Amino acid sequence: MTGRTTPIAVLISGRGSNFEALYRATREGRLPGRIVLVLSNVATAAGIEHARSLGLHTAVVPSRGAGSRAAHEARVREEIERAGAQWICLAGYMRLLSAEFVAAFPNRILNIHPSLLPSFPGLDVQQAALDHGVRVSGCTVHLVDAGLDSGPIVGQRAVDVRSGDDAQSLARRILRQEHELYPDALRRLLTEEWRIEGRRVLFGPASEVRAAD
Ligand code: GRF
């Protein structure tokens, strides 16, 4: 990738497969960014070990026993600012961010969620989707606000629910789509003109805006 690349921090709590997908996209020239920090709030997260083995800058800021949420977030923010990250990608980061934290990086925090929001925010969402009997589920990349999985939607991918599905098989197929959607959604934000109108992320010059597709 030639030219300038955007410094990105990825925040994780576990496996880190979406972090890996973002990393691969930067290495393969599909995403004009570079990962300057991989931060976990869980010391044993598999993703942080992998990030270390790739030679990336990592930080563990344990949330357990950290005192107040504000104290934990202040340390996370310090790491992000020290690394010089301009965008923050939440990738399985199991913490809600405060309004203060979100306001410090306005429209520069993304999250990926394994359902078609606004259906099924929160946890155990594949089981919830199956229990509800939906025929289609999928994944969503959205800008982060102070709510739970509630910010403006940047991109979505649909995945058919099959009659033999359990939560694991559905999660696996959705995850494959997540790995394509996340780098793609961030690439659009970094390379195209866009703005937010109400809840809508509109791509393209202001004169000929079209909704995110
Ligand atoms: C993904 O399903 C993501 O959508 C959700 O948490 C899971 C994280 O998986 N927010 P991984 O750690 O990226 O493998």
Side-chain angles (χ1 to χ4, degrees), residues 8-12 16-35 38 54 56 88-92 110-112 141 178-187 190:
I8 300 164
V10 185
L11 273 51
I12 65 171
S17 70
N18 278 291
F19 141 64
E20 286 176 52
L22 289 166
Y23 174 74
R24 253 198 321 277
T26 64
R27 302 294 297 184
E28 292 170 2
R30 288 180 284 120
L31 178 61
R34 62 184 191 285
I35 295 178
V38 182
L54 292 168
L56 293 171
I88 301 169
C89 290
L90 309 184
L110 279 179
N111 183 41
I112 185 152
V141 169
E178 292 184 42
H179 295 163
E180 291 179 16
L181 175 66
Y182 211 170
D184 196 53
L186 180 53
R187 179 189 52 74
L190 296 183

Side-chain angles (χ1 to χ4, degrees), residues 86-181:
Q86 284 170 15
W87 276 85
I88 301 169
C89 290
L90 309 184
Y93 186 64
M94 304 297 280
R95 304 271 300 173
L96 250 190
L97 299 174
S98 71
E100 293 70 33
F101 188 100
V102 171
F105 306 96
N107 291 330
R108 291 290 179 275
I109 310 176
L110 279 179
N111 183 41
I112 185 152
H113 182 76
S115 76
L116 292 177
L117 291 171
S119 291
F120 311 117
L123 295 175
D124 296 326
V125 298
Q126 289 87 3
Q127 191 59 53
L130 289 174
D131 291 346
H132 196 87
V134 298
R135 315 304 299 227
V136 177
S137 189
C139 49
T140 303
V141 169
H142 64 93
L143 290 161
V144 170
D145 61 17
L148 175 64
D149 301 322
S150 65
I153 291 170
V154 181
Q156 293 186 304
R157 291 277 183 100
V159 171
D160 283 335
V161 176
R162 297 176 185 161
S163 41
D165 266 334
D166 59 16
Q168 287 71 33
S169 62
L170 181 58
R172 265 197 304 278
R173 289 206 312 291
I174 292 175
L175 195 63
R176 277 204 288 277
Q177 296 302 317
E178 292 184 42
H179 295 163
E180 291 179 16
L181 175 66

